[in-house]
Every structure is written in C-alpha cells, then in structure tokens.
Amino acid sequence: MNIKEIRIQYAKYETENELDSQSFQILEEAKKALDTAYSPYSNFQVGAALKLSNGQIIRGSNQENAAYPSGLCAERTAIFYAGSQFPNEKIEEMVVLARREGETELTTACPCGACRQALLEYEEKQNQPIPITFKMSKQGFVRISSIADLLPFKFDSTSL
Ligand code: THU
C-alpha cells in the first residue's frame, strides 16, 4: 500500500479589484446574472458568467422548480446555453457569484459536484482548461486555473 497525495493550486484575491481586467469584466456580468435568479424556494441567488472565444459573455442564473430536483444551477444554465448556442466557441473563463435574497453582500459560491462534472465535460470537449473564479465568503475570491482541479478522480469519457 502507498499513500499518494493530490495537490491543487489556486489564486486568492482579497477583493474583486485585484482580479485582472478580463476576470473583472466577467465578474460584472455574473453580478447582473444574480438579478435574474429564480430562487423562490431557497432564496439563494447564484449568477454565473462565461466568456467565449468570440468575445461574447454568456450569463446564467439558478432556475428553481416546485419539484425541487427539476431546477438547475447557474453554472449549468450558463454552460448548457453556451454549448447549445455556440457549440464551436471555446469557453475562456467563468465566474460564479452568490448572495442571499434581500442582501447586497456576496456569499460563498463554490460550484456543486454536479456542476463540476458538467463543466468538466466542456473543458475536455474543447481541450483547453476553463479557469473558474468564485467567492469564498470570508476568504475573498478563489481562482482555479482548470475545472479538472476541482474534480480529482473524475469520471469522464475515458472511463466508459
Ligand atoms: N446552486 C447553484 O446555482 N450553483 C451551485 O453550484 C450550488 C447551488 C443553486 C441551486 C439552488 O437554486 C440554490 O443554489 C440553493 O442550493
């Protein structure tokens, strides 16, 4: 038996003003996406934005449903839209934000497991890493340079 170790690197930013200009631009779009969340059941708003290789920025927000599991997270709303409307454009970068309804302050927006799996599919499809930036409540912003880093021991097409 051997004990192995997996390490990931991430960049940490105290405030959004430390982000580079492209990430900041996408973050501003993710803020707009927060306003379109349909979250009457959780009152938790999530906004995602991603930049395509053609320069276009796609926004997505969480869309809930009375039959709870029928709703969809913001990240998948955005990436499925991008995949269906712009199948040949690469996704250059993504930002995810969250806030509780009625509050102005951002809270933690760490992508859920199902979103990691879905995002990974597109990263592998385009054969180019998708950096992702999200808010970690007290720690500021975290930027990870590849979705794969969020999902060790991934299940992907090579597993089939
Ligand atoms: N949610 C997202 O949109 N993205 C995530 O990665 C985690 C959770 C949404 C789903 C639901 O509408 C609300 O946040 C509370 O779980």
Side-chain angles (χ1 to χ4, degrees), residues 42 44 46 62 64 73-75 110-112 115:
S42 70
F44 189 79
V46 186
N62 53 332
E64 298 186 349
C73 291
E75 299 92 316
C110 197
C112 77
C115 285

PDB file of all heavy atoms in Angstrom, residues 42 44 46 62 64 73-75 110-112 115, ligand 1:
ATOM      1  N   SER A  42     -35.280  28.545  -2.274  1.00  0.00           N
ATOM      2  CA  SER A  42     -34.092  28.644  -1.414  1.00  0.00           C
ATOM      3  C   SER A  42     -33.778  30.087  -1.027  1.00  0.00           C
ATOM      4  O   SER A  42     -33.042  30.326  -0.071  1.00  0.00           O
ATOM      5  CB  SER A  42     -32.870  28.071  -2.147  1.00  0.00           C
ATOM      6  OG  SER A  42     -32.477  28.921  -3.211  1.00  0.00           O
ATOM      7  N   PHE A  44     -31.807  31.816  -2.445  1.00  0.00           N
ATOM      8  CA  PHE A  44     -30.353  31.886  -2.617  1.00  0.00           C
ATOM      9  C   PHE A  44     -30.101  32.118  -4.102  1.00  0.00           C
ATOM     10  O   PHE A  44     -30.471  31.294  -4.939  1.00  0.00           O
ATOM     11  CB  PHE A  44     -29.734  30.568  -2.141  1.00  0.00           C
ATOM     12  CG  PHE A  44     -28.236  30.580  -2.057  1.00  0.00           C
ATOM     13  CD1 PHE A  44     -27.593  31.175  -0.981  1.00  0.00           C
ATOM     14  CD2 PHE A  44     -27.466  29.990  -3.052  1.00  0.00           C
ATOM     15  CE1 PHE A  44     -26.204  31.187  -0.900  1.00  0.00           C
ATOM     16  CE2 PHE A  44     -26.077  29.991  -2.978  1.00  0.00           C
ATOM     17  CZ  PHE A  44     -25.443  30.597  -1.890  1.00  0.00           C
ATOM     18  N   VAL A  46     -27.794  32.684  -7.399  1.00  0.00           N
ATOM     19  CA  VAL A  46     -26.474  32.360  -7.944  1.00  0.00           C
ATOM     20  C   VAL A  46     -26.401  32.917  -9.367  1.00  0.00           C
ATOM     21  O   VAL A  46     -27.340  32.767 -10.157  1.00  0.00           O
ATOM     22  CB  VAL A  46     -26.208  30.835  -7.953  1.00  0.00           C
ATOM     23  CG1 VAL A  46     -24.771  30.545  -8.383  1.00  0.00           C
ATOM     24  CG2 VAL A  46     -26.476  30.232  -6.577  1.00  0.00           C
ATOM     25  N   ASN A  62     -29.446  30.538 -11.350  1.00  0.00           N
ATOM     26  CA  ASN A  62     -30.159  29.336 -10.919  1.00  0.00           C
ATOM     27  C   ASN A  62     -31.655  29.488 -11.185  1.00  0.00           C
ATOM     28  O   ASN A  62     -32.237  30.558 -10.999  1.00  0.00           O
ATOM     29  CB  ASN A  62     -29.865  28.989  -9.453  1.00  0.00           C
ATOM     30  CG  ASN A  62     -30.091  30.114  -8.475  1.00  0.00           C
ATOM     31  OD1 ASN A  62     -29.974  31.277  -8.815  1.00  0.00           O
ATOM     32  ND2 ASN A  62     -30.408  29.772  -7.250  1.00  0.00           N
ATOM     33  N   GLU A  64     -35.077  27.608 -10.232  1.00  0.00           N
ATOM     34  CA  GLU A  64     -35.649  26.577  -9.351  1.00  0.00           C
ATOM     35  C   GLU A  64     -37.025  26.134  -9.834  1.00  0.00           C
ATOM     36  O   GLU A  64     -37.607  26.724 -10.744  1.00  0.00           O
ATOM     37  CB  GLU A  64     -35.683  27.112  -7.914  1.00  0.00           C
ATOM     38  CG  GLU A  64     -34.282  27.408  -7.409  1.00  0.00           C
ATOM     39  CD  GLU A  64     -34.232  27.814  -5.934  1.00  0.00           C
ATOM     40  OE1 GLU A  64     -35.285  28.072  -5.329  1.00  0.00           O
ATOM     41  OE2 GLU A  64     -33.102  27.869  -5.412  1.00  0.00           O
ATOM     42  N   CYS A  73     -28.777  24.685 -11.555  1.00  0.00           N
ATOM     43  CA  CYS A  73     -27.797  25.637 -11.025  1.00  0.00           C
ATOM     44  C   CYS A  73     -27.405  26.658 -12.096  1.00  0.00           C
ATOM     45  O   CYS A  73     -27.511  26.387 -13.299  1.00  0.00           O
ATOM     46  CB  CYS A  73     -26.536  24.904 -10.587  1.00  0.00           C
ATOM     47  SG  CYS A  73     -26.712  23.857  -9.137  1.00  0.00           S
ATOM     48  N   ALA A  74     -26.870  27.774 -11.622  1.00  0.00           N
ATOM     49  CA  ALA A  74     -26.455  28.858 -12.511  1.00  0.00           C
ATOM     50  C   ALA A  74     -25.355  28.423 -13.478  1.00  0.00           C
ATOM     51  O   ALA A  74     -25.383  28.766 -14.677  1.00  0.00           O
ATOM     52  CB  ALA A  74     -25.956  30.027 -11.667  1.00  0.00           C
ATOM     53  N   GLU A  75     -24.393  27.667 -12.975  1.00  0.00           N
ATOM     54  CA  GLU A  75     -23.252  27.275 -13.816  1.00  0.00           C
ATOM     55  C   GLU A  75     -23.705  26.437 -14.995  1.00  0.00           C
ATOM     56  O   GLU A  75     -23.251  26.617 -16.130  1.00  0.00           O
ATOM     57  CB  GLU A  75     -22.233  26.454 -13.004  1.00  0.00           C
ATOM     58  CG  GLU A  75     -21.619  27.177 -11.825  1.00  0.00           C
ATOM     59  CD  GLU A  75     -22.373  26.975 -10.524  1.00  0.00           C
ATOM     60  OE1 GLU A  75     -23.628  27.049 -10.538  1.00  0.00           O
ATOM     61  OE2 GLU A  75     -21.725  26.737  -9.499  1.00  0.00           O
ATOM     62  N   CYS A 110     -19.353  28.287  -4.157  1.00  0.00           N
ATOM     63  CA  CYS A 110     -18.477  27.185  -4.544  1.00  0.00           C
ATOM     64  C   CYS A 110     -19.291  26.197  -5.396  1.00  0.00           C
ATOM     65  O   CYS A 110     -20.334  25.706  -4.943  1.00  0.00           O
ATOM     66  CB  CYS A 110     -17.996  26.521  -3.252  1.00  0.00           C
ATOM     67  SG  CYS A 110     -16.585  25.485  -3.493  1.00  0.00           S
ATOM     68  N   PRO A 111     -18.870  25.915  -6.635  1.00  0.00           N
ATOM     69  CA  PRO A 111     -19.678  25.065  -7.518  1.00  0.00           C
ATOM     70  C   PRO A 111     -19.963  23.679  -6.924  1.00  0.00           C
ATOM     71  O   PRO A 111     -19.062  23.047  -6.364  1.00  0.00           O
ATOM     72  CB  PRO A 111     -18.817  24.938  -8.778  1.00  0.00           C
ATOM     73  CG  PRO A 111     -17.884  26.093  -8.733  1.00  0.00           C
ATOM     74  CD  PRO A 111     -17.635  26.379  -7.286  1.00  0.00           C
ATOM     75  N   CYS A 112     -21.199  23.239  -7.072  1.00  0.00           N
ATOM     76  CA  CYS A 112     -21.591  21.942  -6.510  1.00  0.00           C
ATOM     77  C   CYS A 112     -20.985  20.800  -7.340  1.00  0.00           C
ATOM     78  O   CYS A 112     -20.449  21.017  -8.436  1.00  0.00           O
ATOM     79  CB  CYS A 112     -23.112  21.821  -6.468  1.00  0.00           C
ATOM     80  SG  CYS A 112     -23.870  21.462  -8.058  1.00  0.00           S
ATOM     81  N   CYS A 115     -22.302  20.378 -10.926  1.00  0.00           N
ATOM     82  CA  CYS A 115     -21.787  21.410 -11.843  1.00  0.00           C
ATOM     83  C   CYS A 115     -20.338  21.139 -12.202  1.00  0.00           C
ATOM     84  O   CYS A 115     -19.928  21.333 -13.351  1.00  0.00           O
ATOM     85  CB  CYS A 115     -21.945  22.799 -11.231  1.00  0.00           C
ATOM     86  SG  CYS A 115     -23.656  23.365 -11.275  1.00  0.00           S
TER      87      CYS A 115
HETATM   88  N1  THU B   1     -26.842  26.491  -6.771  1.00  0.00           N
HETATM   89  C1  THU B   1     -26.227  26.923  -7.911  1.00  0.00           C
HETATM   90  O1  THU B   1     -26.820  27.629  -8.734  1.00  0.00           O
HETATM   91  N2  THU B   1     -24.949  26.554  -8.116  1.00  0.00           N
HETATM   92  C2  THU B   1     -24.220  25.755  -7.277  1.00  0.00           C
HETATM   93  O2  THU B   1     -23.099  25.371  -7.615  1.00  0.00           O
HETATM   94  C3  THU B   1     -24.773  25.367  -5.980  1.00  0.00           C
HETATM   95  C4  THU B   1     -26.198  25.679  -5.765  1.00  0.00           C
HETATM   96  C5  THU B   1     -28.244  26.856  -6.557  1.00  0.00           C
HETATM   97  C6  THU B   1     -29.193  25.696  -6.619  1.00  0.00           C
HETATM   98  C7  THU B   1     -30.364  26.223  -5.811  1.00  0.00           C
HETATM   99  O3  THU B   1     -31.188  27.001  -6.668  1.00  0.00           O
HETATM  100  C8  THU B   1     -29.711  27.164  -4.798  1.00  0.00           C
HETATM  101  O4  THU B   1     -28.404  27.430  -5.288  1.00  0.00           O
HETATM  102  C9  THU B   1     -29.615  26.581  -3.396  1.00  0.00           C
HETATM  103  O5  THU B   1     -28.998  25.342  -3.398  1.00  0.00           O
END
